Amino acid sequence: RTMKNTIYQLNSVTGTQMNSYIITTADDRVIVIDGGFRQDAENMLTYLRDITGQDTPHVDAWFLSHAHIDHVSCFNEIVEKHWDKLAVDHVYYNFPSIQYCSREGRGYDRAIEEFQANLPRFADKVLTPYGFDTYDIGEAHIEILYTPNCEIQRNFVNNSTMVFMMTLGGKKILFLGDAGEEEGDRILALYAGTNKLKADYVQMAHHGQNGVKKNFYEAVAPTAC
């Protein structure tokens, strides 16, 4: 096995921005976040085999931040064509309805439609997180800070991102998915006067472009992005 208490940020196979992480804990748990496009599926499986040293990798938890194609399509591809090549204990997600996502237009509802079509294959593994829920996956502690609020009427799917804080090896890592300004403002207001958003590391929202505002990152005050 490779290093423990480690976050692997996977490269994009297509050369297009996407979101994909594999995380290992000190007690040999494996967590996946998002995964990228369909074309990234083989790379994900190769990484998981290398990291676990297993021909059929065991994944304790797979978190899906939101239903955009560059975040969930790798998972869709694996469920459809490679589900027998790994063992996943639980899939964590909280997506709004297809109707809500389709309001964004431009075909952005396609990924969630494919996801819902695949749901019967993994429905027994689903856990639906809500804000303030906590999960302990081995030595990784995860606190859900925010889940979709369908009152937001702009940038619909990005602003439906599940935002969570992971504590791993004594460090805090904040995962923002593609959260937009509106979601960022709501999270800031929700945790105003607390130290809940302070993190050692942050995954910058929306690939570092047009995500949450500068004052959000000032509240997080990370050592590194």
Side-chain angles (χ1 to χ4, degrees), residues 31-35 61-65 90-93 129 135 137 142 144 162 164 166:
I31 301 166
V32 175
I33 299 173
D34 289 348
W62 197 311
F63 284 83
L64 296 165
S65 65
H90 295 294
V91 180
Y92 298 76
Y93 72 95
Y135 300 95
I137 301 166
I142 295 171
I144 308 300
M162 176 171 64
F164 56 94
M166 179 182 294

Side-chain angles (χ1 to χ4, degrees), residues 6 20 58 93 98-100 105 112 183 211 219:
T6 299
S20 182
H58 176 241
Y93 72 95
I98 292 175
Q99 289 81 1
Y100 179 83
I112 194 170
E183 183 174 349

Side-chain angles (χ1 to χ4, degrees), residues 14-187:
T14 65
T16 306
Q17 65 186 28
M18 58 83 166
N19 206 62
S20 182
Y21 292 93
I22 300 172
I23 296 161
T24 59
T25 71
D27 55 345
D28 293 334
R29 304 300 178 95
V30 175
I31 301 166
V32 175
I33 299 173
D34 289 348
F37 290 98
R38 285 183 175 272
Q39 296 95 321
D40 295 296
E42 290 284 358
N43 191 44
M44 169 65 75
L45 290 169
T46 297
Y47 260 92
L48 286 170
R49 292 187 197 103
D50 290 346
I51 288 169
T52 62
Q54 301 164 345
D55 291 334
T56 305
H58 176 241
V59 174
D60 295 271
W62 197 311
F63 284 83
L64 296 165
S65 65
H66 68 293
H68 265 158
I69 187 171
D70 55 329
H71 294 255
V72 301
S73 293
C74 171
F75 180 81
N76 285 337
E77 179 79 4
I78 287 174
V79 170
E80 291 170 19
K81 300 178 182 177
H82 307 287
W83 202 227
D84 59 338
K85 296 178 183 175
L86 78 172
V88 179
D89 285 351
H90 295 294
V91 180
Y92 298 76
Y93 72 95
N94 186 330
F95 296 163
S97 68
I98 292 175
Q99 289 81 1
Y100 179 83
C101 294
S102 67
R103 294 171 69 182
E104 195 163 69
R106 293 183 288 174
Y108 281 161
D109 52 342
R110 188 181 74 197
I112 194 170
E113 287 177 349
E114 293 169 348
F115 182 86
Q116 295 289 4
N118 290 327
L119 183 56
R121 305 185 191 194
F122 61 90
D124 59 327
K125 302 178 184 296
V126 169
L127 290 173
T128 305
Y130 289 90
F132 309 113
D133 286 352
T134 60
Y135 300 95
D136 289 302
I137 301 166
E139 294 190 13
H141 177 74
I142 295 171
E143 183 172 2
I144 308 300
L145 299 181
Y146 196 84
T147 47
N149 183 325
C150 293
E151 293 177 0
I152 296 177
Q153 297 297 303
R154 181 182 173 278
N155 196 12
F156 295 97
V157 185
N158 285 336
N159 276 318
S160 72
T161 291
M162 176 171 64
V163 169
F164 56 94
M165 183 79 75
M166 179 182 294
T167 304
L168 182 70
K171 301 290 186 182
K172 289 183 178 294
I173 309 101
L174 180 60
F175 289 94
L176 293 177
D178 278 4
E181 291 186 1
E182 295 80 6
E183 183 174 349
D185 289 345
R186 286 173 179 261
I187 294 171

